[in-house]
Amino acid sequence: MSTFLHRVAHWAFRRRRTVVLVWVAVLAAVFLGAANSSEAPEDSASLPGIESQQAFDLLDERFPGAEADGAQARVVFVAPDGQQVTSTANRSAVDTLVDEVADGPQVAGATSPFDAHAVSEDASTAYATITYRTTADDLTEASKEALTEAVEHARDAGLTVEVGGSALETEPAQGIGEVLGILVAAAVLLITFGSLAAAGLPLLTAVLGVGISLATITALRSALGFSSTVGELAMMLGLAVGIDYSLFVVSRYREERAKGHQAQEAAALAVGTAGSAVVFAGLTVVIALLGLSVVGVPTLTKMGIGSAGTVLVGVLIALTAVPALLGFCPDAVLPRRDREGPRRTRSRRPGRFGRNRTWNWNWNWNRQGSTRAGTARTPWGVRWARFVTRRPVAVLLLTVVGLGALAVPSLNLRMGMPGAESKPTTTTERRAYDALADGFGPGFNGPLTVVVDVKAADDPAAAVTGVSDRLADIEGIVSVSPPHFNEAKDTAVVSAVPSTGPAGEQTQDLVRTIRDERPAIESATGAEFQVTGTTALNIDVGRKMQDALVPYLAVVVGLAFLLLMVVFRSILVPVKAALGFLLSVGAALGAIVTVFQEGHGAGVFGVEETGPIMSTMPIFLVGIVFGLAMDYQVFLVSRIREAHIHGAQPDQAVVTGFRHSAQVVGAAALIMMAVFGGFMTGGESMVKMVGFGLASAVFFDAFVVRMAFVPAVLALLGKRAWWLPGRLDRLLPRVDVEGEALTRRAPAPDDASGDDDRRESVTV
């Protein structure tokens, strides 16, 4: 592997103009394809294999022309204090709104609250239901404007009017996530490298990779069904891994230049060594992302495929475009003092004591800048590694206990899909939600839709009535609406209102109770029914995600274990990597539950309402963070193994590995945290949750697991860490990620003269 990548980098450095032109041509081609592509499909909520989805499919079949997921608006009216919506003036304003909206474009029906008995007991609140013949994404501006104007007219009459539902759903406030992430990344790179060129090169290549990936996803969105969500995730991951992969290569290039290698050979050695780590780190990310297909959710599968392609583009750019760009600025990426070149050797008169003294200034030309050897401060990574290797048991116990304590809240994880209750109070959806909860009870915002199939019943009307009566008798059901039949009279829909809110645990128990009693109800009435609606759908999705988590972990961790075993030629090192990852993910999930579910510190992150954790969040977090965590694992441990196979003792190998990689891994983690954390500046609670979860997981994995857990375990294992059975050693392919073959064949650095001479002797 290292030899092949060495040749690739040599070629890219020599043919740098060709390489850059090829990448620019690829960018232009995919942008042309994106410009001529059709519109992106809407995010599909289709989840095969769950009851809620089967009920939606039955509704689409039995109620043709009225989509089960058609847009709906629930207009909520609240009378001024001391008044009632049933008063003559207020009732007239409500009826006027309903009449105005009913004549609007794309409207399937508008039901007055006075006809549907949708008035609260104290007559302070009422609501009108507006249904549309199309989905929310297909609503025209004319339809939205007609509803908005009608609402304003009712407000002018003195009523408080808010609109819930999907018809006028407000877009979340756009944060400055991408910009903030790039700015922080630039600052971290500048501090790490001390060079504008070195800081700008990873940013440039990351933007190039993201541009190519997003344009490709856009060009293929119609053929592969990629929605806008796929592009958002690809952009987030593309920025993070694109910067990190280039950072690894540029850092190693500077290190090789510091050893005295000419620019071309230094670039080739950097790609042959750090590039090998990038390849296998990228493969672990791709495995984790493609493993999302195991869950069986089409949306997650498409997100995994799109993001995996983005990671592959980032890897290819790091292996080809980075060495090519280094060819254009071979010295500019070095620190300023490194670019000044060696000073001339000067001879001076004897000192005051009549003797010559020779001062040999050996400069430490590493990525931390040049300092005099005699006064150089020991790098923090070295000091920390020595501290850990001297106290491995204490550090290991503290790490495991600390992360374990942070993970404890994850045992209380409740999964669901946050709705209008999680939106800011500045949105009309949230105000409508609160008004309905105050006027009709908390369960009114999460009614259960029961689809009754009476095709085989002798008396369809009596069968539906029997089902409704049985449902009304179940504890926890407040009311059941009159049935609504289709034209064929073989299917009816009733709405059951729970006594608790849609995100409550009692509501989940109620859905399970209804389904448990279904056999007896169906036997007594002769009708079959299924429970669906947003609340039931969220419950089913959460259960599906929970059931899929263990198989997903088994597939992803198993494949990554085999890959890491090939890379490190060890059994215990991959086991350590998997255990450390589980600790970091557990701690991250615990932090998410603490903030977003239990509400501790929620105000700090702008979370206005706590509730269940997004159903896809745990499995999404596992997939993304597992791949990203392996970046640090491969880059850090490969340097430790490199020192080990060169003859260093176990503790010294750990120290040497930290000397060369701790600062880079720390910088890479800060960049990823900045990119992910920047998405918390948006207004959507779910986006904040994703950004917080990924940023905290990266922090725990990079700064706790990789910097403390890993060196402590390696120090305790000693040489046993690299043990591999002889038969397995012969079976596994040798990939040489440490670049041992390059070490044997690399030409000696030129120390005689030139700009690559990094040593200086001054005779005084």
Side-chain angles (χ1 to χ4, degrees):
M1 173 66 73
S2 60
T3 304
F4 170 74
L5 294 179
H6 183 273
R7 292 197 297 267
V8 169
H10 257 299
W11 174 83
F13 192 96
R14 290 196 309 269
R15 307 292 185 185
R16 47 188 173 271
R17 291 181 177 82
T18 301
V19 172
V20 171
L21 287 176
V22 167
W23 279 113
V24 172
V26 170
L27 180 63
V30 294
F31 262 97
L32 182 62
N36 296 323
S37 65
S38 57
E39 290 294 325
E42 63 185 61
D43 287 332
S44 174
S46 176
L47 295 168
I50 63 175
E51 179 177 326
S52 298
Q53 184 61 51
Q54 294 169 356
F56 275 129
D57 294 340
L58 182 62
L59 285 174
D60 287 337
E61 176 187 344
R62 302 288 177 87
F63 290 82
E67 298 187 47
D69 57 349
Q72 185 184 73
R74 181 175 282 177
V75 185
V76 184
F77 307 92
V78 180
D81 292 339
Q83 298 185 25
Q84 296 179 331
V85 292
T86 54
S87 67
T88 303
N90 291 334
R91 181 167 186 150
S92 175
V94 172
D95 288 336
T96 300
L97 181 145
V98 173
D99 293 339
E100 283 186 44
V101 175
D103 296 333
Q106 298 180 299
V107 175
T111 305
S112 169
F114 309 111
D115 296 334
H117 307 289
V119 181
S120 63
E121 291 185 5
D122 60 1
S124 65
T125 308
Y127 69 91
T129 302
I130 316 298
T131 56
Y132 292 86
R133 294 188 296 269
T134 184
T135 62
D137 289 336
D138 293 331
L139 279 181
T140 63
E141 288 300 322
S143 298
K144 296 179 181 180
E145 288 177 3
L147 177 57
T148 302
E149 290 178 2
V151 168
E152 290 300 328
H153 294 160
R155 286 173 177 167
D156 293 340
L159 290 171
T160 298
V161 186
E162 305 295 345
V163 183
S166 58
L168 292 184
E169 187 172 8
T170 55
E171 292 293 329
Q174 295 298 317
I176 55 172
E178 301 89 340
V179 177
L180 179 63
I182 292 177
L183 291 177
V184 174
V188 172
L189 289 170
L190 187 59
I191 294 172
T192 302
F193 286 139
S195 164
L196 286 174
L201 195 149
L203 293 174
L204 175 63
T205 54
V207 171
L208 173 64
V210 169
I212 291 174
S213 301
L214 289 181
T216 302
I217 290 172
T218 303
L220 298 176
R221 60 190 177 186
S222 178
L224 300 181
F226 287 153
S227 65
S228 59
T229 307
V230 177
E232 292 171 2
L233 177 61
M235 179 176 61
M236 182 168 60
L237 284 179
L239 283 175
V241 301
I243 293 173
D244 280 4
Y245 293 163
S246 297
L247 170 65
F248 294 157
V249 174
V250 173
S251 173
R252 190 60 182 256
Y253 169 81
R254 286 156 56 98
E255 185 180 327
E256 297 300 331
R257 288 294 301 274
K259 294 177 181 177
H261 288 292
Q262 295 291 333
Q264 181 170 327
E265 180 61 21
L269 288 172
V271 174
T273 51
S276 298
V278 165
V279 169
F280 285 97
L283 285 178
T284 58
V285 180
V286 170
I287 289 173
L289 291 170
L290 294 181
L292 290 172
S293 59
V294 176
V295 181
V297 178
T299 300
L300 283 180
T301 300
K302 293 172 184 177
M303 291 169 65
I305 293 173
S307 301
T310 303
V311 173
L312 287 177
V313 170
V315 171
L316 292 176
I317 286 178
L319 301 180
T320 57
V322 170
L325 292 174
L326 287 173
F328 288 104
C329 53
D331 296 326
V333 298
L334 304 177
R336 177 180 299 179
R337 286 171 293 185
D338 294 38
R339 299 194 300 268
E340 291 177 354
R343 300 176 184 175
R344 297 179 180 179
T345 300
R346 295 176 295 172
S347 297
R348 295 187 179 179
R349 296 179 181 178
R352 57 181 295 186
F353 298 106
R355 57 182 179 179
N356 290 331
R357 294 186 301 174
T358 301
W359 290 355
N360 190 23
W361 290 359
N362 292 323
W363 294 78
N364 178 21
W365 295 85
N366 56 25
R367 63 181 176 278
Q368 300 176 16
S370 56
T371 57
R372 298 181 184 181
T375 61
R377 293 184 58 189
T378 304
W380 67 266
V382 173
R383 297 197 302 272
W384 173 251
R386 289 172 180 169
F387 173 83
V388 174
T389 54
R390 285 196 297 265
R391 304 168 182 84
V393 175
V395 172
L396 181 61
L397 288 176
L398 184 62
T399 301
V400 173
V401 172
L403 291 178
L406 290 172
V408 168
S410 65
L411 299 176
N412 300 322
L413 174 69
R414 290 191 298 109
M415 291 193 291
M417 290 297 291
E421 75 279 3
S422 65
K423 290 180 177 293
T425 53
T426 55
T427 62
T428 186
E429 299 100 310
R430 171 62 185 276
R431 294 194 296 269
Y433 179 97
D434 292 340
L436 287 172
D438 293 339
F440 296 90
F444 197 80
N445 284 294
L448 304 176
T449 301
V450 181
V451 184
V452 186
D453 185 355
V454 291
K455 210 169 191 179
D458 296 332
D459 187 347
V464 173
T465 301
V467 171
S468 299
D469 293 341
R470 293 294 189 96
L471 290 175
D473 292 337
I474 296 177
E475 184 178 358
I477 296 292
V478 175
S479 63
V480 178
S481 69
H484 172 60
F485 280 89
N486 64 344
E487 291 184 4
K489 302 298 181 181
D490 59 3
T491 307
V493 178
V494 297
S495 179
V497 178
S499 60
T500 53
E505 292 184 70
Q506 299 92 334
T507 306
Q508 297 184 19
D509 295 336
L510 175 62
V511 172
R512 283 192 289 267
T513 299
I514 294 174
R515 289 171 175 171
D516 290 340
E517 296 187 11
R518 176 166 44 198
I521 298 175
E522 291 180 342
S523 176
T525 61
E528 298 179 353
F529 70 88
Q530 293 174 315
V531 183
T532 186
T534 303
T535 301
L537 178 64
N538 292 339
I539 294 172
D540 291 345
V541 171
R543 185 177 297 115
K544 184 178 180 65
M545 296 296 105
Q546 194 167 4
D547 294 340
L549 186 58
V550 173
Y552 175 67
L553 271 174
V555 171
V556 172
V557 175
L559 292 176
F561 177 86
L562 294 176
L563 184 62
L564 292 177
M565 189 166 59
V566 171
V567 173
F568 297 120
R569 308 198 68 77
S570 166
I571 292 180
L572 296 179
V573 169
V575 170
K576 168 195 62 61
L579 293 177
F581 161 74
L582 293 176
L583 283 173
S584 60
V585 167
L589 279 176
I592 293 172
V593 171
T594 299
V595 175
F596 290 87
Q597 180 176 305
E598 298 178 352
H600 302 297
V604 177
F605 301 100
V607 180
E608 298 188 18
E609 186 74 20
T610 59
I613 304 304
M614 185 173 58
S615 298
T616 55
M617 184 64 196
I619 204 162
F620 180 80
L621 183 74
V622 168
I624 302 301
V625 176
F626 184 83
L628 298 179
M630 292 304 105
D631 286 358
Y632 312 129
Q633 169 72 15
V634 171
F635 191 74
L636 177 62
V637 180
S638 63
R639 295 307 300 264
I640 296 175
R641 175 170 169 77
E642 182 178 341
H644 168 73
I645 64 177
H646 289 163
Q649 293 300 311
D651 287 0
Q652 186 57 42
V654 172
V655 173
T656 302
F658 268 68
R659 179 190 299 275
H660 293 294
S661 57
Q663 183 174 344
V664 179
V665 168
L670 288 175
I671 290 170
M672 281 198 178
M673 289 173 60
V675 173
F676 295 145
F679 283 82
M680 294 183 63
T681 61
E684 185 67 36
S685 176
M686 289 187 291
V687 175
K688 290 182 179 181
M689 188 183 300
V690 171
F692 176 84
L694 292 177
S696 59
V698 168
F699 172 78
F700 292 135
D701 194 272
F703 293 107
V704 181
V705 171
R706 305 305 155 192
M707 295 296 179
F709 178 83
V710 168
V713 172
L714 291 179
L716 288 173
L717 292 176
K719 293 183 179 180
R720 294 186 299 273
W722 312 108
W723 171 78
L724 188 68
R727 179 174 298 180
L728 192 58
D729 184 53
R730 291 188 294 271
L731 290 175
L732 293 178
R734 295 186 178 273
V735 296
D736 188 25
V737 71
E738 300 85 10
E740 177 65 16
L742 298 180
T743 303
R744 293 193 299 266
R745 67 185 291 272
D750 181 11
D751 292 331
S753 61
D755 291 339
D756 289 315
D757 183 8
R758 299 298 176 223
R759 297 187 179 183
E760 178 181 15
S761 296
V762 179
T763 302
V764 181

